[in-house]
Amino acid sequence: MPSRRTARRAGLFAALAVALATAACGSDGGGSDTADAQPRAGGSVTYAARQEPDCWDPHASAQDVTAFTQRPVFDSLVYQTPDGSFEPWLAKSWKISDDGRAYTFELRDDVTFHDGAKLDAEAVKANFDHIVAKDTESQYAAGLLGPYEGVKVTGPQEIQVSFSRPYAPLLQVVSTTFLGIASPASLKAGSEKLCSGTDSIGSGPFRADAYTRGQQRTYTRYADYDWAPKSAGHSGPARLDSVTIRFLTEDATRVGALSSGQVDGAADIPANQIASVSKNPRLTTISRQVPGAVDAFYLNTRSELFSDVRVRKAFQRGLDLDTIVKSVFQGTTERAWSPLSPTTPNSYDPSLEKTWPYDPKLAGQLLDEAGWTGRDAEGYRTRDGRRLTVFAPIYGEATVFSQAAQAELKKIGFFLDLHASTDAAEISGLLDGGKYDTVELAWARPDGDILSSFFLSTETSVGGGHNFALVADPQVDEWLKAAQAEQDPKERATYYSQVQKWTIDQAVVVPAYVKNATVGVNKKVHDLRLSIATWPEFYPAWVQAD
């Protein structure tokens, strides 16, 4: 039997595989058109998701699908609005110490968990303690806390969270489902039960209800709910009586279920199906660019091959990304110029656009300089009898985009070896051991601090981080830590700009394309909107009467 860590890493890799499998784009919008209909209470919605959580505990799991499917159940201390700002939720106010190392949260006194327990300071402390506990084996939430030192109760409804150095990203961190607040009693169920999804108890607008592994989960309205954030699009109990999430992994099955009316909404509409869904008079699409880290190739700067910056730059400039992205995604998304998505709040540097275009002549010159001057029978470049091979481990299957990149790189002499495997232990071992040349992935997070996960020297795969380029540059560390210490969004953006420019100049990353989240929705469903993290929010949604 695999260890819990390996099993959860499997979930992480599965999440990466799904994240890279599709990208789609439709008209950007915040929800379905209400027309002349008036909101009403009652009814239900069935939604088709592409993936089922491997672990239902958001404190332990790194999967986006866990955060999405548990958002109806778990509230957060803070709410991040669509423009990236923050407003009260379970915490009605907060103060930041002058040195930026301590946050004091004053909690609401009218919140009740689904099991009847009251929200208080001890309950929130129990959640922080659970996140960082060794037995939780957190693969993401604990890392989001950065230089965390601890939490202490400073009053019946007041806690103080402390750090070893200033940490400005905390408000965004505590707005996520990954740091959602669970009933303290439920946390005592143990890791296995929490991961299995049988003990999910929060204070959210919906209770976790019947669950059939491999098929679906149902959520029922929590009638006492009355503490939604101001910008949630509704107040009081949820309008819907229930929500059911079905797990339909095949694109054709999911789109077919939506088109036939078997489900009311569906995630991840493929690029080649957006037009047909949009033309269906009963359906509409909602789309937003995903904030955070775009789909990109992270080049292992410590591998024998990519320790040479000339070879990294040849890889970077030898990919005709404009052509590949247009061909694969049929004009529904755009190529990337930065490791950050343009919708990442107060972070993206647009000055990078058009600064490193496709240049096969330059790529060839750089490979010549690096000694890769020979050619084998298949046309790949060689040096000292060895083929110019880029080893790329993949959990699951290689995507259409990855295969297109493979074909394109062959033109300049690179063999992109797409090593696909469903053995999580194998892939985990390769990544933790640095036995790869590149890793392709994307990661959603509406905060520029996602750059720290990928480029801070301490954030390696072994510790659950994503520094797959194995960057260890003191200047980059200094910029990232300065950004974490800065409360002014404009000043933080300046540091993030420097990091973005450095990563492109040093070719430690090759941004590929900007991911989009597109869902299809039946027009009878209104006010189903995408959060800033591009997950559907069911709380304000309602169903038009037949």
Side-chain angles (χ1 to χ4, degrees), residues 238-406:
R239 290 162 170 156
L240 295 170
D241 288 332
S242 65
V243 174
T244 297
I245 298 180
R246 292 180 59 190
F247 307 113
L248 303 177
T249 58
E250 297 294 328
D251 290 345
T253 302
R254 202 168 52 258
V255 175
L258 176 66
S259 300
S260 65
Q262 297 176 57
V263 300
D264 305 303
D268 296 312
I269 304 299
N272 61 2
Q273 294 291 318
I274 291 176
S276 63
V277 170
S278 299
K279 289 177 182 178
N280 188 318
R282 295 185 298 103
L283 306 176
T284 187
T285 59
I286 310 169
S287 179
R288 290 189 63 164
Q289 282 190 339
V290 178
V294 301
D295 181 278
F297 293 97
Y298 292 84
L299 309 185
N300 183 353
T301 59
R302 299 185 195 177
S303 74
E304 182 181 358
L305 181 66
F306 284 138
S307 60
D308 189 330
V309 68
R310 296 170 298 184
V311 182
R312 298 201 302 267
K313 288 187 175 182
F315 186 96
Q316 180 192 65
R317 303 300 289 273
L319 264 175
D320 188 358
L321 289 167
D322 292 291
T323 298
I324 300 173
V325 172
K326 183 177 181 180
S327 173
V328 172
F329 301 111
Q330 303 179 21
T332 62
T333 192
E334 60 189 59
R335 68 156 292 178
W337 295 98
S338 162
L340 287 183
S341 166
T343 57
T344 311
N346 306 306
S347 306
Y348 177 70
D349 184 357
S351 71
L352 282 171
E353 295 174 7
K354 312 295 184 183
T355 59
W356 50 281
Y358 174 54
D359 191 338
K361 182 178 180 180
L362 173 61
Q365 291 174 347
L366 289 168
L367 289 177
D368 287 342
E369 292 175 12
W372 295 94
T373 55
R375 292 275 184 173
D376 64 16
E378 294 184 57
Y380 295 108
R381 284 182 176 254
T382 61
R383 187 180 70 183
D384 300 328
R386 290 190 303 162
R387 176 179 284 184
L388 181 56
T389 300
V390 178
F391 183 64
I394 298 171
Y395 182 80
E397 298 180 354
T399 65
V400 173
F401 175 81
S402 300
Q403 294 175 59
Q406 181 186 57

Side-chain angles (χ1 to χ4, degrees), residues 64 67 80-82 172 176-178 288-291 444-446 517 530-537:
D64 276 355
Q80 188 174 18
T81 68
Q172 194 280 323
T176 68
T177 317
F178 296 109
R288 290 189 63 164
Q289 282 190 339
V290 178
R445 184 183 168 190
L530 300 187
S531 70
I532 190 171
T534 68
W535 304 326
E537 292 183 331

Side-chain angles (χ1 to χ4, degrees), residues 134-148:
K134 184 178 180 180
D135 288 347
T136 302
E137 296 183 347
S138 176
Q139 288 296 304
Y140 188 54
L144 286 175
L145 286 171
Y148 175 75

